[in-house]
Amino acid sequence: MTERGDGGFDLGDGQRPDPDIPSQAELDAEDMAELAKRSSADRDQTGLYPVRRGDPGPAPIPLVKHAVGCFWAAAVAGAICMVYGFLNLGTIKDLLYTRLLDGVRDDPGNAAPEDQISGISSTFPPVMLVLIAVFLAVEYLLLVNTAKHNSRGVRNVYLSVVVVHMMCIPIGIDLLFAYDGLSVVIVVLGWAQLVLLALSALCTLRKEVNDWLPAPNKVRPGTGFGRR
């Protein structure tokens, strides 16, 4: 048996090896292709899930002081509104009932059914007041854990919750406190809470904060839910 120049072997007496058995050169080529494929997959995996930094350093001032300070100011404003609302809960229910009843008379097509007005005016105010505390508690935990765990994902959830909270504030102000018989100071505090929450959220988007947080995962074509 002698080796040919193409990496195969002659068995002697003019016999050729089985054509189904790959030559050494073909095996080497397959190995190289497999290694190249694995290297490409490893690079893609590294790009999608970058290695987390060991020590990001102390949290930046805009996150731990400015954002937190604005949040606490918003929390104080929200707490005052909540306490005032519970102290005047009976009055707020009566005022809301009257408003809803007027809506039935003035625009029955777009108003709540008259037989449901009593239940709505009794249930809606306390639920909205409790939601103030719920929103603030969730936002505080998210904001603190953003700095504690150096998490971009937690920061993004904080921003989402703040946006939802800010959308609810004008509705709450209008339905709970925008009456002649109630203090206008509470309305001002409600709008102040909205502005302060917006400032807190903007502080978490400062360049110093984005540079300190880990890089976001990259989304490559073909890596979505539709990939087969």
Side-chain angles (χ1 to χ4, degrees):
M1 181 175 63
T2 59
E3 184 177 3
R4 302 195 310 272
D6 60 359
F9 294 91
D10 281 327
L11 300 178
D13 298 331
Q15 298 182 21
R16 301 298 298 273
D18 189 340
D20 293 333
I21 299 177
S23 66
Q24 185 62 41
E26 291 172 335
L27 292 175
D28 292 341
E30 290 178 1
D31 290 341
M32 293 297 294
E34 182 65 22
L35 288 174
K37 182 178 179 181
R38 291 182 181 178
S39 298
S40 177
D42 291 341
R43 285 194 299 269
D44 290 343
Q45 188 76 2
T46 302
L48 287 172
Y49 304 100
V51 178
R52 189 176 181 85
R53 296 169 297 173
D55 182 12
I61 297 299
L63 177 61
V64 296
K65 289 191 176 181
H66 301 162
V68 173
C70 289
F71 169 79
W72 276 118
V76 170
I80 294 174
C81 293
M82 183 178 64
V83 172
Y84 180 87
F86 277 115
L87 291 176
N88 296 273
L89 188 57
T91 302
I92 292 173
K93 288 181 179 180
D94 293 340
L95 292 171
L96 181 58
Y97 177 83
T98 302
R99 175 187 284 189
L100 294 175
L101 193 60
D102 291 342
V104 172
R105 295 168 182 168
D106 298 338
D107 190 6
N110 295 320
E114 188 171 358
D115 58 344
Q116 297 181 12
I117 289 178
S118 178
I120 293 174
S121 61
S122 298
T123 304
F124 190 83
V127 170
M128 285 293 292
L129 293 172
V130 170
L131 281 177
I132 296 175
V134 172
F135 270 118
L136 291 173
V138 172
E139 288 161 353
Y140 173 75
L141 292 175
L142 291 171
L143 185 57
V144 169
N145 281 282
T146 297
K148 182 178 180 181
H149 298 292
N150 182 230
S151 174
R152 183 178 294 270
V154 175
R155 192 280 306 270
N156 292 341
V157 175
Y158 172 73
L159 293 175
S160 300
V161 175
V162 167
V163 169
V164 175
H165 190 180
M166 291 171 59
M167 293 172 62
C168 294
I169 288 175
I171 300 173
I173 292 174
D174 181 59
L175 295 179
L176 299 181
F177 305 121
Y179 302 102
D180 293 336
L182 300 179
S183 174
V184 69
V185 175
I186 301 301
V187 175
V188 174
L189 285 174
W191 287 110
Q193 182 190 17
L194 186 149
V195 172
L196 290 165
L197 284 173
L199 290 175
S200 176
L202 290 174
C203 287
T204 67
L205 293 172
R206 293 275 297 273
K207 183 179 184 300
E208 301 95 313
V209 179
N210 282 322
D211 291 343
W212 178 75
L213 292 172
N217 292 340
K218 299 178 181 178
V219 178
R220 294 177 179 271
T223 58
F225 292 107
R227 185 177 180 179
R228 299 292 182 185

